Amino acid sequence: MDPKRLSSSSQQQVRLRKKRTKREWRPLEDRSCTDLPWFLLFTVFCVGMGSICGFTIVTGGAARLVFGYDSYGNTCGRRNEQIEGVKLSGLDHRDRKFVFFLDPCNIDIVQRKIKSMALCVSLCPTEELKTYQDLKRFAMVNGSELCSYELAGHKYPGLPERFTKCPKLPVPPSKPLPVFNRCTPVDISCYAKFAEAVVTFVGDNSVLHRLIAGVAASKEIIIGLCVLALVLSMILMVIIRYISAILVWILTSLVVLGSLAGTSVLWWLYIDHRLYGNDTSSKAAKETKEEVEITRDSGQALLVYAVAATVFTVRKSAAVRNLKEGKKESECLVCFLFQIILLLLMLFMRKRVALTIALFHVAGKVFIHLPLLTLQPFVTFLALLLFWIYWILVLLFLGTTGNPVQNEETGLTEFRLTGPLQYLTWYHAVGLVWISEFILACQQMTVAGAVVTYYFTRDKNRLPVTPILSSVLRLVRYHLGTVAKGSFIITLVKIPRLILMYIHNQLKGKENACARCLLKTCICCLWCLEKCLNYLNQNAYAATAINSTSFCTSARDAFVILVENALRVATINAVGDFVLFLGKILIVTSTAFAGVLLLNYQRDYAEWLLPLIIVCLFSFLVAHCFLSIFEIVVDVLFLCFAIDTKYNDGTPGKEFFMDKALMEFVESSRRLERAVERGRSRVKEVASEGAEMKPMAPGTSSA
């Protein structure tokens, strides 16, 4: 065979291979299942989580938590089996359904549990029992013996064991807890010590009581203010497109004016230093060598602070101190250059700030066309709440599951997981992080899918009836594996950070400075990595919603797009995040102002600080949840816009998908580019004409 033909065919194969491997964005054209192995892995993991719950139910841990058990391992309200080595176990407690603690106020502050002996009784004492005769009468009349099982009720007053195996006198009146069947004292004053351990900032019980009384008295106002914060957040998501331009340009103006003011001050200080520098140097010559070195070191430290303060145009007084302490002229010039660079940077970025305003405008339209997006925080919070309740219940079940073990200190019987079973708690803890991240990732994918459908639908009147529901169905049918993989990556970073934070808290005050610095550095680095991965995951989900590709492919494609538009990304994240932060502050301050007016109007109580703090925290949480959805919408819109402008140019067959506001931004950018090109061509023409008109040098003419 001809080698030339072989070489040409191989070259054609290489070209075809390159053509096939080139990424082609086909928005909403094809749908296929992505990352199926990860979906199967996540399903197996969830089955394992459910198996833990089933194990606790089968082995009696759930029953012991709900019905309660005594200090001998007997479950109340049931017939029990004998536990080897434990006396008074295996009793029939079908007629004893309530758990009674001999000393309910004996609380272990560290372990957060009651250390008292527990018994199963048929009735909780509803009145105070002051003597052992009262205990005897209560046992005879009601048939509920409140002392240990081996003691006869009619012999209580004369038994020597009554001091250790009978309840501590006086016995307070109690009533059973709903569902959990524990006899709880009606007067909870004995839990004051426990409350002080939990609420460590309260030193006086009267302060705690007044704060609680203030919350109880203002509960209607608190609920009303929380609803107000909710309404304000929903309104802000709709109207933010109208006020975003004002906020963005106010921010830009403040930065530019701050830069100019800082530059002016530095110039004035520079001139002042040149005029009075000789006087300063003569005074410095009289100082000792050590004092000069100290002054130089402090001056270098202040230089770093002055440069940072100059960049952010705050604390200009630091620069004043720098020069007055004898700073060099070059250091002043460095600060001046930083001011100039910052000013030029803001002027250079003004076009990208305009893109941020356009994206905010389009995001407001998205919420008008897709109003169900405002319900996403509710759905996500409800899903997280239900999962967290389930997780806490199973964790409590695990606390009462396992083999019976006698406590060496108290002699009471407890149930603990031993051997390999003790790792069930760790498995359960990993499930908390992974499934929580999975729920949050499902929200991101749902929002991304709806926004992608909105963006790449040319005729907005032909949008699906419920784009949110369509996005949810696509997620469930095709992309659960992608979401599982992305959330697992976040879990791999978050769990080590949580472990390091736990170690840091446990070693607080015990570790040396080097170890403390190393731990904080690792925690900070993992936190930064987690934030970066969260942002990349969010864009990967958007790329999956557009092109129906796997997680790794989508992450790579999204990363390439983001790198190509790095300056735009930086501007949108900086300016956009600041605007959204201002929105959160606006909601919190508005709610707090209304709270001050309403709480101050109510004169029935004086302590309204705690209700106001509760309202502010709730309003910030609500604002953060709603504006986080808005932020996701803006980020997805930008990715769609970047893809649209990269692969389309507005010509027939390559029409843009973008909204009118973004189209106006593109047109203005093109006009600016054409003007710049015309200016460059004119400069070249002038330069070429000047070269042609240049006279010839003497002696170069022909004879």
Side-chain angles (χ1 to χ4, degrees):
M1 186 175 291
D2 190 0
K4 293 184 177 180
R5 291 184 178 180
L6 282 175
S7 60
S8 61
S9 62
S10 61
Q11 291 176 358
Q12 291 178 357
Q13 291 177 359
V14 170
R15 285 196 297 268
L16 289 174
R17 192 179 299 113
K18 290 183 178 179
K19 186 176 181 181
R20 284 196 300 267
T21 56
K22 183 180 179 180
R23 169 61 51 219
E24 296 179 359
W25 292 84
R26 300 180 300 276
L28 306 178
E29 290 186 8
D30 300 326
R31 286 289 147 193
S32 59
C33 293
T34 55
D35 298 294
L36 186 59
W38 281 93
F39 170 70
L40 298 177
L41 177 63
F42 183 74
T43 303
V44 171
F45 183 85
C46 291
V47 170
M49 292 284 291
S51 301
I52 293 177
C53 180
F55 173 76
T56 59
I57 294 174
V58 171
T59 56
R64 280 189 285 269
L65 176 69
V66 175
F67 298 107
Y69 64 98
D70 60 16
S71 298
Y72 305 105
N74 300 302
T75 303
C76 300
R78 292 192 171 190
R79 182 191 294 273
N80 298 278
E81 298 180 357
Q82 178 71 33
I83 300 175
E84 184 178 357
V86 180
K87 297 180 179 179
L88 300 178
S89 62
L91 301 179
D92 186 0
H93 282 336
R94 285 179 292 180
D95 58 341
R96 299 178 176 181
K97 300 181 179 180
F98 303 104
V99 179
F100 176 75
F101 296 97
L102 301 188
D103 186 7
C105 296
N106 186 8
I107 301 173
D108 187 350
I109 300 297
V110 177
Q111 299 295 329
R112 300 292 195 271
K113 65 180 181 180
I114 299 175
K115 297 172 63 176
S116 168
M117 177 183 289
L119 300 174
C120 294
V121 298
S122 57
L123 187 66
C124 299
T126 56
E127 58 184 11
E128 187 178 25
L129 305 178
K130 299 180 179 180
T131 63
Y132 292 104
Q133 287 291 343
D134 294 338
L135 290 176
K136 174 184 175 181
R137 184 174 63 256
F138 182 80
M140 294 295 100
V141 174
N142 300 299
S144 181
E145 298 178 349
L146 303 182
C147 295
S148 187
Y149 304 132
E150 71 270 20
L151 303 182
H154 63 280
K155 298 182 179 180
Y156 284 168
L159 293 174
E161 297 92 344
R162 66 182 184 274
F163 299 106
T164 57
K165 296 187 177 182
C166 285
K168 183 180 179 181
L169 299 178
V171 179
S174 60
K175 59 181 180 180
L177 279 176
V179 181
F180 290 100
N181 302 325
R182 267 73 168 178
C183 294
T184 307
V186 177
D187 183 11
I188 60 173
S189 60
C190 67
Y191 297 138
K193 186 177 179 181
F194 184 75
E196 289 178 11
V198 176
V199 189
T200 55
F201 66 91
V202 177
D204 185 7
N205 288 335
S206 61
V207 175
L208 177 62
H209 293 161
R210 284 178 11 222
L211 291 176
I212 296 175
V215 174
S218 58
K219 56 183 180 295
E220 295 85 1
I221 296 178
I222 293 175
I223 295 174
L225 291 174
C226 292
V227 174
L228 175 63
L230 187 64
V231 173
L232 289 176
S233 300
M234 297 178 69
I235 293 175
L236 183 63
M237 292 175 69
V238 177
I239 69 171
I240 195 171
R241 66 174 178 147
Y242 301 108
I243 64 175
S244 59
I246 300 174
L247 293 177
V248 169
W249 287 119
I250 287 176
L251 170 64
T252 306
S253 302
L254 289 176
V255 172
V256 172
L257 292 176
S259 301
L260 291 174
T263 304
S264 302
V265 170
L266 286 174
W267 267 112
W268 177 77
L269 291 173
Y270 174 73
I271 296 172
D272 181 73
H273 176 67
R274 290 294 301 269
L275 293 176
Y276 300 99
N278 295 330
D279 187 25
T280 304
S281 60
S282 62
K283 292 181 179 179
K286 299 179 181 179
E287 297 177 349
T288 62
K289 183 178 179 180
E290 295 180 357
E291 291 175 347
V292 171
E293 291 179 356
I294 293 173
T295 303
R296 185 183 299 113
D297 293 339
S298 62
Q300 290 176 354
L302 287 172
L303 171 64
V304 175
Y305 182 78
V307 170
T310 303
V311 172
F312 294 100
T313 67
V314 295
R315 297 189 183 182
K316 301 298 185 296
S317 60
V320 177
R321 292 195 302 269
N322 289 346
L323 286 180
K324 287 187 177 180
E325 292 183 5
K327 190 163 294 296
K328 297 179 181 179
E329 299 174 6
S330 59
E331 296 171 352
C332 183
L333 290 175
V334 168
C335 296
F336 169 73
L337 290 176
F338 268 99
Q339 293 288 344
I340 295 297
I341 291 173
L342 181 60
L343 176 61
L344 295 176
L345 184 62
M346 290 304 302
L347 295 176
F348 176 73
M349 300 285 280
R350 67 187 187 279
K351 185 175 70 174
R352 292 170 177 82
V353 171
L355 174 60
T356 304
I357 297 173
L359 288 173
F360 271 63
H361 185 79
V362 178
K365 288 185 178 180
V366 171
F367 280 96
I368 293 177
H369 285 86
L370 310 178
L372 291 181
L373 276 178
T374 57
L375 299 180
Q376 279 299 304
F378 295 105
V379 176
T380 304
F381 177 75
L382 181 61
L384 287 173
L385 182 63
L386 292 176
F387 170 68
W388 289 341
I389 292 175
Y390 164 81
W391 188 87
I392 291 173
L393 283 177
V394 176
L395 182 66
L396 295 175
F397 292 165
L398 286 172
T400 55
T401 302
N403 300 320
V405 178
Q406 280 193 330
N407 192 313
E408 297 179 357
E409 296 181 1
T410 61
L412 309 179
T413 301
E414 300 174 353
F415 291 88
R416 298 176 184 174
L417 293 171
T418 57
L421 294 178
Q422 61 185 339
Y423 297 106
L424 292 179
T425 306
W426 288 99
Y427 187 94
H428 195 59
V430 173
L432 171 65
V433 180
W434 190 4
I435 297 179
S436 297
E437 292 295 332
F438 177 82
I439 295 173
L440 294 174
C442 286
Q443 172 187 269
Q444 295 176 355
M445 178 69 85
T446 301
V447 174
V451 175
V452 165
T453 302
Y454 171 84
Y455 187 95
F456 289 105
T457 301
R458 299 185 189 276
D459 186 2
K460 306 306 179 187
N461 296 323
R462 300 182 61 183
L463 284 170
V465 179
T466 54
I468 298 295
L469 182 59
S470 301
S471 180
V472 172
L473 294 178
R474 287 198 301 270
L475 166 64
V476 174
R477 184 176 179 182
Y478 298 112
H479 306 311
L480 285 179
T482 299
V483 173
K485 186 174 183 179
S487 56
F488 181 76
I489 292 174
I490 301 298
T491 303
L492 288 180
V493 179
K494 178 167 285 188
I495 289 180
R497 182 172 66 85
L498 294 176
I499 293 175
L500 290 178
M501 291 175 63
Y502 174 78
I503 295 174
H504 180 263
N505 290 330
Q506 293 296 315
L507 298 178
K508 186 174 291 184
K510 301 178 182 178
E511 77 279 15
N512 56 30
C514 182
R516 181 169 61 252
C517 180
L518 183 61
L519 277 175
K520 289 184 177 180
T521 302
C522 294
I523 293 172
C524 182
C525 292
L526 289 174
W527 181 83
C528 294
L529 178 60
E530 181 183 339
K531 292 300 179 183
C532 295
L533 289 176
N534 265 321
Y535 183 73
L536 183 60
N537 280 9
Q538 178 180 310
N539 286 277
Y541 299 147
T544 299
I546 295 172
N547 233 17
S548 190
T549 50
S550 64
F551 177 82
C552 292
T553 303
S554 300
R556 182 192 62 200
D557 297 340
F559 181 76
V560 171
I561 295 293
L562 294 176
V563 170
E564 291 175 352
N565 299 268
L567 289 178
R568 289 177 173 178
V569 172
T571 306
I572 292 171
N573 286 333
V575 179
D577 289 350
F578 183 79
V579 172
L580 294 180
F581 176 74
L582 290 181
K584 297 174 186 178
I585 297 301
L586 176 64
I587 293 173
V588 173
T589 52
S590 301
T591 309
F593 180 72
V596 169
L597 294 179
L598 293 175
L599 292 171
N600 193 40
Y601 177 74
Q602 298 288 334
R603 302 290 183 179
D604 296 337
Y605 53 88
E607 297 295 337
W608 46 267
L609 178 61
L610 185 58
L612 191 62
I613 292 176
I614 293 174
V615 168
C616 290
L617 290 176
F618 181 83
S619 60
F620 183 81
L621 177 63
V622 170
H624 176 72
C625 292
F626 277 90
L627 293 181
S628 295
I629 297 295
F630 193 92
E631 184 179 2
I632 294 174
V633 172
V634 171
D635 291 338
V636 175
L637 283 174
F638 171 73
L639 185 66
C640 296
F641 171 77
I643 295 170
D644 196 9
T645 54
K646 181 177 181 180
Y647 294 96
N648 299 312
D649 54 9
T651 59
K654 291 186 176 182
E655 295 85 359
F656 287 121
F657 289 92
M658 65 186 66
D659 188 83
K660 183 179 178 181
L662 293 174
M663 190 76 72
E664 293 175 354
F665 168 78
V666 172
E667 292 297 330
S668 63
S669 299
R670 287 182 173 180
R671 286 195 297 268
L672 181 62
E673 290 176 358
R674 286 195 293 268
V676 172
E677 288 295 329
R678 285 196 297 268
R680 290 177 179 175
S681 61
R682 289 177 181 176
V683 170
K684 291 180 180 179
E685 290 176 359
V686 171
S688 61
E689 291 177 359
E692 293 176 357
M693 296 176 62
K694 185 177 180 180
M696 298 179 63
T700 59
S701 60
S702 58

